[in-house]
């Protein structure tokens, strides 16, 4: 049985979620491995969401926002970008692989691109293999 | 080197018939529509631009107006009604005036009244001159038309014709030299070697006699009519210049000579009537605009043709005195027409257009040779691919 | 209050759009087994009337207090289903939708995988909806007075539109006259009608309208409050400060012209016969076009794009100069019929009504149009004593490919538009942003050109970007219409979804204050706590994610709700190696 990654995507309502909807209306086909959670703006995304997703067993997390300069709320994506940079630093030091957590800018017109991002990310994570964090946490608990 | 702009040039050209050139906004449809426009001679847009900008220097040395035969396609395609066809025609008139060192062409194009006065004065002088001659040195008797005792003996007229014709042609070809000078100075081409001049000499004769390029236009009719007109003239010219005595001898009809005359006369009269009709009806694009010089030309032709036919007819039926008078009137039409048209007006195109075809071929050949010479250098310059 | 959860799950077929790939019955059946789910149905078209009635009936009959609809994107029908809940008598925010069409059935081919994904997404929605709270919209009162900054044509149009509707307007103008930049102009393109007539009508009506209070030589010094309830402090000509209560502010401060002396090759400020467009307007209004030496110019040249469309100065197009230049060509030709007018442009922007005809008409008066290239601007030099003109302009002309020199006695520079020097301070005062050139930013460049990110503050006219009089007046009236609509409602309804500060948890660190692009988070110095002005909050959540104490809650997007969703999407039954 091949390993099928589980990826959670946090998409902002105005650009990336609409872009993903456009992928749907355009019947772009992409891997089924992603599950999308909608937020109003990428600025809403608390780093704890990503940490929770990883510790609950997600093999990858995708954060999507509007292209810089296009944020519906003026500069929310810049805030997301800054938080994400710091989070990545922390994740690296925790040993989480680079390709597991990814930030992408997807506009409302980039349906095809959204599909490409999902396909690309799925493949990369498939190569990385499953995320060991949840398994280790369970083992850890069991050992106590 | 920056070229000086003369903002007044465009007002000037109005006298030559260019009224709408300012409307052109350079879409290029005209150059695309023209069947002859191709590198390095792309027209009419470039000439329109030179004119709009008053680049006198460039315009003076341009060949492009002469490469145009006024089929009128460009004017039909123009979305703004800028009349590129007529603008090219007015440029031909202007260039004629530029090449003319006497300045007379300039005066005549600007003022139709001056043209008219000139025609009338020359006509009057001719008439008086001929009558004086006829009564004092010629036969002296109005009732004798032909033979050595004629009022106007053909030998005398023959001499007169050759002198006048020769003088006018010399004027025209001197102006043509000026044309060569302006063109060669202005055209940015490599120096044209003598060998090219000789190689392409046949072009002169080819275009002069066949107007081959005209036949390549979409509309064939104008070419055919022009060819007929031209050959009628040529026939008349040859008859008058070389066979005047045979023509004038009479009153019997010498069919070996006169048949050509009749054919030529028919040709002339038919084409002139068609041209006048065309200019009045204005259905063809190249007849939509008529400058005063166009009408002057046609009217003179009508006078000359009619009087020419009449004097011949009168002579043949035996009315010698009226024939002589008609002959004088005929000459009073011919002389001013030739004096005006050959060096200073429409007929000048027989030299200028032919030379323009020749010069353009020279340029193309020179550019071709330059490109060929450049090839081995270019090939040598290419960096060899890494093995 | 712990109530027993009664969740209704509805899985839509959407005809064959979802049902072709996703086994909707299987999803409904599986969901029916979840804790708290009282009923789980599938139906052909949930958004149809019978579909909605199904939900309404189930709510009434089964006492449902949470509803999950698995169907198309919530961007499509969330409002539809919220209305259904409202009709049924429960709070509309007790709805959650799962997107199993655009993000599932339409993008996946394999029915097994798609069905599993649909099941997962719907169960995550069920997880989330448990934490939904009843949310109510709130309202604030709307003060009907309006403050208009700037008494140019934009400000006058706004004031008149509002004043004629019987609403109070305070028209604050910095100078001692109304009319702004249009008052410096004689005729307008393309119809050559008089700017003076245009303005006189506006100014007279503004002065006569009892509802419009014109304050000349006055300026705004402070603006506090929020939409519907602003407190403005205006300093008048005598130096007194007046307190005005207004509900909306419209910024119509206009523009200033580019300083042509910055471009050395045009010799402005050095050669006396090189003038700007406004200087020519001055001459035209006074009735005579003359060179500095008092002579009638024979050659007049117009140069477009001075300071505009240039990477060195301003990259944008100032929009009005092309048609103004044509206007000048016509005016010069009618004032001096023997003159020769040349017009040097990069492109001819004849975009508006009547403009292309105007262009053609201008060429019929024999204006010489010369096209120069952006990277090779014209250069002006003095002519010699033997030349019949005062100056020569060197140009690399594009349509002929020639480098030419044009004689000229008078050169008119079509200077571009720039934001005013005080635009920065105005932006700070009213809390709007400026773009990289300094123009005020609108809420959305295409769909919302007169509103700004600050609710209640509008912009109209050239202060947001270069524009001509028709567009300025259109924007002014649009802003006035928006304000009148708000006034008609009488109160401002704030969206129920906004951020809320739990003041007990707030430590007063004020990190959230700076993050809000709408300045909706205010710090109260007395209580040393921050709070959100719900009327201004747009619910982006930037402050929520930043709060170190977790004191700010994003209503309807709480951490709890999102965590529930994360937990809901992760379980996986097929092909997963744990």
């Amino acid at each position: 049985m091949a390993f099928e990654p589980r990826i959670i995507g946090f998409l902002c309502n105005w650009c990336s979620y609409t872009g993903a909807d456009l992928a749907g209306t355009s019947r772009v086909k992409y891997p089924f491995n992603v599950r999308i959670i909608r937020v109003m703006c990428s600025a809403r995304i608390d780093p704890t969401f990503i940490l929770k997703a990883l510790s609950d067993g997600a093999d990858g997390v995708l954060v999507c926002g509007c292209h810089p300069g296009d944020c519906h709320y003026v500069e929310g994506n810049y805030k997301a970008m800054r938080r994400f940079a710091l989070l990545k630093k922390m994740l690296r030091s925790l040993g989480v692989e680079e390709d597991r957590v990814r930030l992408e800018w997807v506009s409302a017109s980039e349906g095809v691109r959204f599909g490409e991002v999902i396909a690309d990310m799925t493949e990369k994570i498939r190569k990385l293999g499953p995320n060991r964090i949840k398994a280790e946490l369970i083992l850890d608990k069991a050992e106590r | 080197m920056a070229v000086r702009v003369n903002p007044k040039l465009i007002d000037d050209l109005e006298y030559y018939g260019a009224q709408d050139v300012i409307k052109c906004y350079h879409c290029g449809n005209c150059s695309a529509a023209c069947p002859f426009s191709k590198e390095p001679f792309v027209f009419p847009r470039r000439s329109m631009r030179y004119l709009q900008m008053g680049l006198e220097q460039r315009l003076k040395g341009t060949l492009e107006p002469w490469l145009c035969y006024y089929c009128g396609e460009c004017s039909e395609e123009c979305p703004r009604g800028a009349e590129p066809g007529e603008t090219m025609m007015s440029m031909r008139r202007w260039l004629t005036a530029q090449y003319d060192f006497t300045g007379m062409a300039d005066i005549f194009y600007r003022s139709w009244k001056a043209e008219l006065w000139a025609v009338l004065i020359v006509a009057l002088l001719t008439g008086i001159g001929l009558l004086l001659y006829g009564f004092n040195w010629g036969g002296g008797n109005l009732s004798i038309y032909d033979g050595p005792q004629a009022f106007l003996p053909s030998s005398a007229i023959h001499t007169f014709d050759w002198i006048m014709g020769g003088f006018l042609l010399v004027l025209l070809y001197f102006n043509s030299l000026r044309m060569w000078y302006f063109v060669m100075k202005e055209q940015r081409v490599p120096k044209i070697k003598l060998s090219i001049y000789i190689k392409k000499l046949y072009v002169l004769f080819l275009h002069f006699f066949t107007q081959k390029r005209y036949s390549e236009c979409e509309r064939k009719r104008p070419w055919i009519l022009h060819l007929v007109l031209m050959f009628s003239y040529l026939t008349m010219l040859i008859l008058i210049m070389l066979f005047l005595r045979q023509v004038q001898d009479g009153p019997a009809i010498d069919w070996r000579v006169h048949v050509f005359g009749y054919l030529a006369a028919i040709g002339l009269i038919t084409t002139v009537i068609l041209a006048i009709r065309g200019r009045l009806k204005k259905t063809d694009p190249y007849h939509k605009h008529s400058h005063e010089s166009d009408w002057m030309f046609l009217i003179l032709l009508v006078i000359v043709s009619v009087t020419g036919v009449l004097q011949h007819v009168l002579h043949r039926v035996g009315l010698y005195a009226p024939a002589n008078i008609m002959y004088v009137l005929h000459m009073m039409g011919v002389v001013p027409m030739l004096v005006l048209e050959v060096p200073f007006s429409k007929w000048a195109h027989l030299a200028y257009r032919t030379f323009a075809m020749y010069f353009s071929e020279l340029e193309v050949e020179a550019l071709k040779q330059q490109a060929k010479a450049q090839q081995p250098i270019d090939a040598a310059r290419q960096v060899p691919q890494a093995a | 209050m712990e109530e027993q959860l009664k969740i209704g799950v509805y899985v839509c077929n959407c005809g064959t759009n979802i049902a072709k790939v996703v086994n909707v019955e299987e999803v409904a059946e599986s969901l029916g087994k979840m804790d708290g789910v009282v009923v789980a149905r599938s139906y052909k078209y949930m958004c149809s009337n019978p579909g909605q009635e199904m939900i309404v009936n189930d709510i009434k009959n089964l006492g449902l207090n949470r509803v999950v609809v698995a169907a198309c994107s919530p961007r499509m029908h969330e409002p539809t289903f919220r209305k259904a809940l409202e009709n049924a008598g429960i709070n509309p925010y007790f709805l959650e939708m799962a997107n199993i069409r655009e993000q599932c059935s339409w993008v996946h081919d394999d029915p097994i995988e798609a069905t599993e994904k649909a099941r997962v997404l719907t169960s995550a929605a069920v997880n989330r909806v448990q934490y939904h709270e009843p949310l109510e919209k709130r309202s604030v009162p709307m003060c009907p007075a309006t403050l208009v900054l700037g008494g140019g044509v934009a400000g006058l149009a706004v004031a008149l539109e509002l004043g004629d509707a019987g609403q109070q307007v305070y028209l604050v103008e910095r100078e001692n006259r109304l009319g702004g930049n249009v008052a410096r102009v004689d005729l307008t393109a393309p119809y050559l009608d008089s700017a003076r007539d245009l303005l006189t009508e506006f100014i007279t009506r503004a002065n006569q309208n009892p509802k419009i209070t014109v304050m000349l030589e006055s300026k705004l010094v402070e603006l506090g409050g929020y939409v519907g309830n602003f407190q403005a402090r205006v300093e008048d000509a005598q130096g007194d400060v007046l307190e005005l209560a207004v509900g909306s502010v419209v910024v119509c401060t206009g523009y200033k012209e580019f300083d042509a002396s910055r471009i050395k090759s045009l010799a402005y400020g050095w050669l006396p016969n090189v003038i700007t467009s406004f200087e020519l307007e001055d001459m035209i209004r006074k009735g005579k076009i003359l060179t500095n030496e008092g002579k009638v110019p024979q050659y007049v040249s117009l140069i477009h794009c001075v300071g505009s469309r240039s990477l060195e100065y301003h990259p944008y197009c100032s929009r009005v100069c092309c048609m103004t230049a044509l206007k000048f060509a016509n005016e010069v030709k009618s004032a001096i019929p023997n003159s020769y007018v040349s017009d040097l442009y990069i492109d001819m922007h004849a975009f508006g009504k009547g403009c292309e005809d105007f262009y053609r008409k201008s060429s019929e008066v024999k204006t010489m149009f010369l096209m120069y290239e952006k990277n090779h601007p014209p250069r002006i030099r003095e002519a010699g004593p033997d030349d019949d003109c005062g100056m020569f302009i060197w140009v690399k002309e594009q349509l002929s490919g020639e480098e030419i020199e044009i004689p000229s006695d008078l050169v008119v520079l079509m200077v571009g538009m720039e934001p005013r020097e005080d635009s920065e301070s105005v932006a700070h005062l009213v809390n709007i942003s400026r773009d990289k050139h300094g123009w005020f930013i609108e809420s959305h460049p295409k769909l919302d050109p007169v509103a700004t990110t600050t609710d209640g503050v509008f912009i109209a006219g050239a202060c947001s970007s270069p524009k001509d009089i028709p567009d300025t007046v259109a924007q002014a009236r649009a802003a006035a219409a928006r304000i009148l609509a708000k006034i008609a409602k009488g109160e401002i309804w704030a969206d129920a979804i906004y951020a809320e500060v739990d003041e007990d948890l707030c430590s007063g660190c004020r990190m959230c204050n700076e993050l809000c692009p709408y300045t909706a988070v205010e710090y109260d110095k007395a209580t040393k706590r921050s709070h959100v002005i719900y009327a201004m909050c747009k619910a982006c959540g930037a402050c929520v994610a930043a709060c170190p104490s977790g004191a700010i809650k994003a209503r309807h997007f709480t951490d709890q709700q999102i965590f529930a969703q994360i937990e809901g999407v992760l379980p996986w039954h097929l092909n997963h190696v744990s």
Side-chain angles (χ1 to χ4, degrees):
Chain A
M1 246 183 351
F3 159 56
E4 285 297 345
R6 286 183 294 179
I7 301 170
I8 294 192
F10 292 99
L11 268 52
C12 78
N13 181 56
W14 300 98
C15 283
S16 37
Y17 194 88
T18 311
D21 275 353
L22 179 65
T25 39
S26 316
R27 311 294 197 273
V28 172
K29 300 288 183 247
Y30 54 81
F32 53 81
N33 306 65
V34 67
R35 312 281 188 241
I36 293 167
I37 292 178
R38 180 172 74 133
V39 290
M40 290 312 281
C41 177
S42 50
R44 173 68 188 92
I45 299 168
D46 198 317
T48 48
F49 297 169
I50 298 164
L51 292 172
K52 178 162 173 71
L54 287 171
S55 66
D56 272 2
D59 299 305
V61 178
L62 173 67
V63 173
C64 281
C66 311
H67 284 269
D70 292 345
C71 180
H72 183 86
Y73 302 102
V74 187
E75 5 161 284
N77 47 7
Y78 289 115
K79 292 163 190 151
M81 198 160 74
R82 291 199 293 254
R83 290 179 193 139
F84 193 80
L86 289 173
L87 178 68
K88 280 289 264 194
K89 252 187 152 166
M90 190 179 96
L91 289 174
R92 257 177 240 132
S93 67
L94 290 175
V96 174
E97 298 93 324
E98 204 54 41
D99 286 329
R100 285 205 192 272
V101 183
R102 183 163 159 175
L103 174 69
E104 280 292 338
W105 305 127
V106 175
S107 81
S109 59
E110 289 179 314
V112 172
R113 184 157 164 268
F114 181 74
E116 285 165 3
V117 166
I118 301 294
D120 181 62
M121 194 172 178
T122 308
E123 271 327 293
K124 287 203 165 96
I125 296 182
R126 200 191 296 275
K127 289 201 183 84
L128 285 176
N131 169 19
R132 302 285 316 160
I133 295 176
K134 182 171 181 189
E136 294 292 338
L137 283 172
I138 293 172
L139 275 172
D140 210 45
K141 211 167 165 192
E143 273 166 13
R144 298 235 186 101
Chain B
M1 247 334 284
V3 186
R4 183 63 57 84
V5 160
N6 177 4
K8 300 185 179 166
L9 185 67
I10 198 173
D11 280 342
D12 237 14
L13 258 288
E14 269 194 17
Y15 289 112
Y16 294 84
Q19 286 127 332
D20 299 308
V21 65
I22 198 67
K23 287 189 190 156
C24 169
Y25 58 8
H26 297 282
C27 63
N29 273 334
C30 53
S31 296
C34 178
F36 301 134
S37 169
K38 57 177 169 287
E39 292 289 351
F41 301 106
V42 177
F43 56 97
R45 187 176 84 75
R46 174 151 56 198
S47 305
M48 303 277 279
R49 192 56 185 155
Y50 287 161
L51 178 54
Q52 275 185 340
M53 287 168 68
L55 296 181
E56 239 182 298
Q57 187 188 327
R58 294 264 183 267
L59 210 50
K60 221 162 149 170
T62 181
L63 285 173
E64 279 150 19
W66 298 114
L67 303 178
C68 160
Y69 267 105
Y70 206 168
C71 63
E73 271 295 307
C74 53
S75 293
E76 286 185 317
E77 293 298 323
C78 177
R80 264 255 187 118
E83 300 294 330
E86 185 62 19
T87 309
M88 294 299 260
M89 181 74 223
S90 44
M91 279 191 251
R92 287 193 283 277
R93 296 182 190 120
W94 184 77
L95 282 172
T96 307
Q98 297 303 303
Y99 300 153
D100 176 34
F101 74 97
T102 63
M104 302 293 272
D106 192 34
I107 297 173
F108 293 149
Y109 274 125
R110 279 175 197 279
S111 163
W112 66 270
K113 288 191 188 132
E115 218 181 353
L116 191 60
W117 274 112
V119 162
L120 289 171
I121 290 171
V122 173
L124 213 58
L125 284 172
T126 313
I128 293 171
L130 283 175
L131 286 170
L132 274 175
Y133 181 86
F135 283 122
N136 295 325
W137 294 285
N141 187 350
L142 262 176
S143 309
I144 305 175
Y145 187 87
D146 61 305
Q149 295 303 313
F151 183 66
L152 294 168
S154 52
S155 49
I157 300 291
H158 182 89
T159 316
F160 175 65
D161 283 343
W162 274 86
I163 293 172
M164 178 188 70
F167 175 65
L168 293 173
L169 277 174
V170 162
L171 253 184
L172 180 60
Y173 281 100
F174 185 73
N175 287 341
S176 307
L177 262 173
R178 276 167 59 89
M179 175 189 177
W180 175 83
Y181 176 67
F182 291 146
V183 169
M184 290 306 154
K185 192 171 84 154
E186 198 40 50
Q187 297 292 317
R188 284 153 285 178
V189 284
K191 195 145 196 314
I192 303 179
K193 296 184 288 209
L194 187 60
S195 55
I196 301 181
Y197 277 101
I198 296 169
K199 181 175 168 186
K200 291 283 173 182
L201 205 56
Y202 72 92
V203 169
L204 269 178
F205 300 104
L206 177 69
H207 281 290
F208 185 82
F209 285 109
T210 65
Q211 291 106 59
K212 179 168 156 297
R213 226 178 187 210
Y214 206 178
S215 70
E216 290 159 24
C217 280
E218 247 184 82
R219 298 182 170 88
K220 305 293 178 212
R221 208 177 100 118
W223 170 64
I224 293 170
L225 288 175
H226 184 266
L227 213 55
V228 167
L229 184 67
M230 197 203 86
F231 274 106
S232 307
Y233 271 132
L234 216 51
T235 311
M236 276 312 204
L237 186 72
I238 293 171
L239 284 175
I240 305 280
M241 286 304 191
L242 302 174
F243 299 102
L244 187 63
R245 193 185 55 74
Q246 287 91 321
V247 170
Q248 293 300 75
D249 261 351
I253 299 177
D254 180 356
W255 285 100
R256 298 168 305 165
V257 176
H258 287 136
V259 68
F260 294 105
Y262 299 153
L263 286 172
I266 292 169
L268 275 171
I269 293 174
T270 318
T271 46
V272 167
I273 290 175
L274 284 172
I276 293 177
R277 208 164 133 252
R279 284 193 185 277
L280 287 172
K281 275 175 65 178
K282 297 193 192 192
T283 37
D284 300 304
Y286 43 88
H287 277 153
K288 274 208 344 230
H289 301 273
S290 297
H291 191 256
E292 293 88 21
S293 57
D294 298 322
W295 286 118
M296 181 64 80
F297 176 57
L298 287 171
I299 291 168
L300 283 172
L301 261 179
V302 169
I303 293 172
V304 161
S305 314
V306 167
T307 50
V309 168
L310 273 176
Q311 62 89 24
H312 181 82
V313 166
L314 287 169
H315 179 209
R316 303 295 142 180
V317 298
L319 295 164
Y320 299 128
N324 266 322
I325 297 179
M326 194 53 70
Y327 193 28
V328 172
L329 287 172
H330 176 70
M331 291 300 276
M332 281 170 73
V334 170
V335 174
M337 183 182 84
L338 290 176
V339 166
L340 175 67
E341 298 293 338
V342 172
F344 305 128
S345 191
K346 283 199 111 161
W347 277 39
H349 83 274
L350 69 86
Y352 301 145
R353 183 170 271 128
T354 320
F355 280 123
M357 295 287 168
Y358 181 46
F359 295 154
S360 65
E361 289 284 326
L362 294 177
E363 243 186 76
V364 170
E365 183 62 31
L367 284 168
K368 220 171 31 181
Q369 288 193 354
Q370 183 187 54
K372 253 213 285 223
Q374 188 68 9
Q375 263 178 0
I377 301 169
D378 283 339
R381 281 212 188 112
Q382 268 184 340
V383 179
Q385 296 292 321
Chain C
M1 181 196 32
E2 277 298 319
E3 44 161 344
Q4 199 199 8
L5 280 176
K6 292 190 181 150
I7 306 171
V9 176
Y10 302 91
V11 187
C12 186
N13 293 36
C14 196
T16 54
N17 283 307
I18 297 175
K20 199 163 70 161
V21 186
V22 171
N23 187 333
V24 291
E25 282 87 24
E26 192 182 306
V27 174
E29 201 195 309
S30 169
L31 265 287
K33 299 195 188 113
M34 276 182 83
D35 275 343
V37 176
V38 170
V39 61
R41 301 187 203 277
S42 71
Y43 184 67
K44 258 210 294 251
Y45 292 106
M46 286 309 303
C47 54
S48 65
N49 278 340
Q52 290 181 58
E53 265 166 44
M54 190 198 297
I55 300 177
V56 172
N57 289 339
D58 279 353
I59 293 172
K60 288 191 182 146
N61 299 339
L62 301 172
L64 296 179
N65 46 32
R66 299 287 188 275
V67 173
V68 168
V69 178
C72 51
S73 170
R75 289 181 62 89
M76 194 112 216
H77 276 307
E78 195 168 52
T80 317
F81 294 118
R82 278 195 184 149
K83 204 88 186 55
L85 266 66
E86 227 178 327
N87 289 342
I90 63 171
N91 189 290
Y93 292 90
F94 282 147
L95 168 84
E96 179 66 12
M97 283 184 75
N99 187 336
I100 61 169
R101 188 181 74 171
E102 280 90 333
Q103 294 179 5
C104 187
S105 71
W106 274 355
V107 289
H108 303 315
D109 282 329
D110 185 331
I112 298 176
E113 303 292 357
T115 306
E116 172 60 14
K117 182 163 169 178
R119 193 192 62 76
V120 162
L121 287 173
T122 315
S123 70
V126 168
N127 256 20
R128 188 198 209 271
V129 83
Q130 298 176 52
Y131 298 102
H132 280 203
E133 287 155 20
L135 301 177
E136 304 294 340
K137 281 193 204 270
R138 278 152 65 174
S139 74
V140 287
M142 170 77 189
C143 172
T146 307
L147 176 69
V148 178
L149 294 179
V153 71
L156 285 166
V158 175
L160 285 171
E161 196 75 21
L162 292 168
D164 285 349
Q167 301 302 338
Q168 174 66 41
V169 180
Y170 300 104
L171 181 54
V172 174
E173 165 59 48
R174 202 171 270 258
E175 305 290 325
N176 63 354
R177 58 166 180 86
L178 290 174
N181 280 317
V182 177
R184 299 161 70 192
V185 157
D186 184 45
L187 298 180
T188 63
Y191 303 111
L192 298 178
D193 28 43
S194 161
R196 206 173 318 172
D197 291 347
L198 243 155
L199 272 182
T200 311
E201 199 219 310
F202 271 22
I203 295 174
T204 319
R205 281 175 53 207
N207 281 324
Q208 285 174 349
N209 191 316
K211 284 293 190 176
I212 303 177
T213 307
V214 176
M215 303 164 75
L216 295 174
E217 287 182 286
S218 309
K219 59 183 201 280
L220 177 71
V221 288
E222 201 184 313
L223 184 72
Y226 53 91
V227 60
N229 300 276
F230 287 112
Q231 289 86 43
R233 301 179 73 225
V234 175
E235 189 182 308
D236 71 3
Q238 277 77 45
D240 298 326
V241 175
L242 296 131
E243 301 265 352
L244 303 169
V246 294
S248 323
V249 178
V250 187
V251 180
C252 306
T253 49
Y255 69 94
K256 82 170 206 298
E257 71 251 38
F258 175 79
D259 177 13
S261 61
R262 290 171 62 186
I263 306 181
K264 301 292 172 222
S265 59
L266 293 175
Y268 177 71
W270 174 54
L271 286 177
N273 285 316
V274 176
I275 61 176
T276 66
S277 41
F278 274 114
E279 285 167 350
L280 182 66
E281 288 282 5
D282 230 11
M283 277 197 222
I284 294 173
R285 277 171 51 227
K286 294 198 177 104
K288 272 210 278 276
I289 303 175
L290 297 172
T291 62
N292 191 47
E293 297 82 27
K295 291 207 294 249
V296 178
Q298 195 187 24
Y299 303 109
V300 178
S301 307
L302 304 154
I303 302 182
H304 293 220
C305 306
V306 175
S308 312
R309 304 187 77 200
S310 137
L311 285 172
E312 229 179 305
Y313 305 105
H314 295 299
Y316 52 79
C317 163
S318 293
R319 207 165 155 108
V320 303
C321 339
C322 277
M323 293 298 105
T324 310
L326 292 185
K327 177 189 81 174
F328 287 156
N330 280 285
E331 286 180 310
V332 167
K333 266 305 218 183
S334 53
I336 314 169
N338 295 329
S339 61
Y340 294 95
V341 180
S342 51
D343 183 296
L344 286 77
Y345 65 95
I346 301 175
D347 294 290
M348 189 57 79
H349 286 170
F351 58 92
K353 227 174 176 172
C355 288
E356 198 60 47
D357 283 333
F358 191 47
Y359 182 19
R360 195 175 33 82
K361 206 171 82 140
S362 308
S363 59
E364 281 165 15
V365 298
K366 290 216 239 130
T367 312
M368 188 192 294
F369 286 110
L370 300 160
M371 184 190 269
Y372 73 90
E373 210 231 332
K374 255 194 223 178
N375 299 326
H376 289 109
R379 298 201 291 262
I380 305 179
R381 69 170 178 90
E382 240 178 325
D386 294 328
D387 296 310
D388 73 334
C389 61
M391 298 168 281
F392 283 111
I393 310 177
W394 173 93
V395 168
K396 193 163 189 301
E397 209 274 329
Q398 295 290 94
L399 293 172
S400 62
E402 305 276 349
E403 276 179 38
I404 58 172
E405 278 205 320
I406 307 153
S408 191
D409 292 320
L410 186 65
V411 179
V412 182
L413 303 177
M414 305 307 300
V415 283
M417 290 190 182
E418 267 182 352
R420 293 169 53 102
E421 293 110 343
D422 60 9
S423 62
E424 192 175 359
S425 55
V426 170
H428 279 151
L429 265 178
V430 300
N431 191 24
I432 55 182
S433 2
R434 299 187 315 145
D435 68 12
K436 63 181 181 228
H437 308 297
W439 302 111
F440 298 137
I441 300 184
E442 58 278 278
S443 181
H444 191 283
K446 287 209 163 59
L447 303 176
D448 209 350
V450 293
T452 61
T453 48
T454 304
D455 254 355
V457 178
F458 297 89
I459 48 177
C463 61
S464 67
S465 71
K467 53 180 65 79
D468 54 1
I469 297 173
D471 286 349
T472 300
V473 172
Q475 280 196 342
R477 294 197 201 274
R482 296 281 289 271
I483 295 172
L484 286 171
K486 279 205 172 75
I487 296 173
K489 276 211 172 131
E491 52 193 353
I492 313 262
W493 282 100
D495 192 15
I497 301 178
Y498 51 85
E500 211 171 18
V501 176
D502 182 344
E503 301 210 0
D504 289 337
L505 294 175
C506 173
S507 61
C509 71
R510 301 187 68 176
M511 273 187 80
C512 52
N513 293 182
E514 296 308 306
L515 286 176
C516 182
Y518 305 98
T519 54
V521 187
E522 241 178 21
Y523 180 70
D524 187 337
K525 289 199 182 87
T527 59
K528 293 207 173 62
R529 301 275 188 271
S530 295
H531 62 270
V532 175
I533 306 168
Y534 61 81
M536 287 170 76
C537 172
K538 297 282 181 231
C540 68
C543 57
V544 178
C547 180
S549 318
I552 313 185
K553 190 169 85 163
R555 281 149 65 95
H556 207 62
F557 284 91
T558 64
D559 286 353
Q560 211 177 21
Q561 288 160 357
I562 296 181
F563 279 11
Q565 235 180 323
I566 295 172
E567 284 166 13
V569 292
L570 281 172
W572 191 301
H573 294 295
L574 292 172
N575 291 348
H576 181 72
V577 177
S578 296

